Amino acid sequence: MIEIENLTKRYGSQTAVADVSFRCETGTVTGFLGPNGAGKSTTMRILCGLTPATSGRALIDGVPYRNLPNPGRAVGVLLDASAQHAGRTGREVLTLGALVLGLPTGRVGQVLDLVGLDKKAADKRVGNYSLGMRQRLGLAHALLGNPATLVLDEPANGLDPEGIFWMRGLLREFADRGGTVLLSSHLLHEVEAVADHLVVIGNGKIAADGSKQELLAGAGTLVRAVEADALAATLRAGGATVTATADGALLVDAEPLVVGRAAAASGAVLTELRTADGAGLEALFLQLTATATAAAPAGAINSPMEVAR
């Protein structure tokens, strides 16, 4: 189990994470979502003992990462697939990891098979790996100690569609066997396919935290209009949060009846009006992160480290 309790991180006058709290239960995959600079990576780095918190706690099985007797045997971490020794082969990277963790070197072959890196790939220098191969090696390293918890930041980057499908099955099987997964990814459809629980962060604060079913059940209204800008202005004037989607629709945090009445009052011509449930996680993400951005105080800007994300 992962527990984040009132976590805050400041860099001087800048706040990267502000009073963040959530839990990842045993046997579940938790999707950790947010736009670039929202605080995801800072939270995960604090959880894994790489960045000290200003206040609050981040616990794995009830203790901080640094207090685990052999952390690699309890939690598998993949935060940056490119952070691997380019001059070593994949097999050498994993063999060194096994020795550090006190594991038999036979475990290396097992995880190589598990992530689909054959002998030719395993004996190639990491500097010659594609990004997808680095991701597979990073997952192999995370799984090396047979941990009960996985913390993964963008593990699907560089994977082809077949690789993404494979990773989805791997994570689902891991959780179904009683493991705990915290998964950050910008591939919203993949998160929607595998996650049981969703945590959305925006501007360093939690915008939503709940089961996938309950959060997607209230995703708002999707509307299209001939003059979308005019309709958006009318809705905002009435107190609604309105977000434009990539394909020109408007996502509104109000019931369809409310949106329809506003359109009628303004004389807007609608071409589509429906609940946004079918738009899935993408619609929810746009709605929640737009709300979080609008609500952010002027001083709550993200750290330079997070802006790069």
Side-chain angles (χ1 to χ4, degrees), residues 82-148:
S82 65
Q84 298 166 1
H85 197 300
R88 296 193 177 111
T89 67
R91 189 183 305 278
E92 288 170 344
V93 168
L94 294 176
T95 299
L96 180 59
L99 293 173
V100 169
L101 295 177
L103 296 166
T105 55
R107 177 63 178 161
V108 171
Q110 295 173 358
V111 293
L112 284 169
D113 290 341
L114 183 61
V115 303
L117 289 175
D118 59 19
K119 184 180 186 304
K120 181 179 179 181
D123 294 334
K124 182 185 293 187
R125 294 189 186 277
V126 174
N128 296 322
Y129 274 20
S130 67
L131 178 56
M133 292 172 68
R134 286 176 183 261
Q135 291 287 15
R136 289 178 182 265
L137 180 62
L139 282 168
H141 204 286
L143 293 165
L144 190 61
N146 196 25

Side-chain angles (χ1 to χ4, degrees), residues 201-212:
I201 188 172
N203 281 285
K205 295 185 177 182
I206 298 300
D209 179 2
S211 72
K212 179 173 64 177

Side-chain angles (χ1 to χ4, degrees), residues 111 187 190 202 244:
V111 293
L187 300 177
E190 292 308 314

Side-chain angles (χ1 to χ4, degrees), residues 29-33 183-198 212 281:
V29 178
T30 297
F32 190 34
L33 308 174
L183 169 66
S184 171
S185 177
H186 69 280
L187 300 177
L188 300 183
H189 293 297
E190 292 308 314
V191 174
E192 185 174 0
V194 72
D196 308 290
H197 195 91
L198 299 173
K212 179 173 64 177
L281 186 54

Side-chain angles (χ1 to χ4, degrees), residues 189-278:
H189 293 297
E190 292 308 314
V191 174
E192 185 174 0
V194 72
D196 308 290
H197 195 91
L198 299 173
V199 176
V200 183
I201 188 172
N203 281 285
K205 295 185 177 182
I206 298 300
D209 179 2
S211 72
K212 179 173 64 177
Q213 290 75 15
E214 66 187 15
L215 290 182
L216 294 184
T221 296
L222 193 76
V223 60
R224 297 179 193 274
V226 175
E227 295 189 7
D229 290 344
L231 176 58
T234 299
L235 290 165
R236 290 188 179 110
T241 298
V242 182
T243 306
T245 67
D247 60 356
L250 300 176
L251 182 65
V252 187
D253 66 341
E255 295 297 319
L257 179 61
V258 174
V259 176
R261 283 176 172 168
S266 66
V269 177
L270 302 186
T271 58
E272 185 177 7
L273 176 65
R274 62 177 174 84
T275 58
D277 296 0

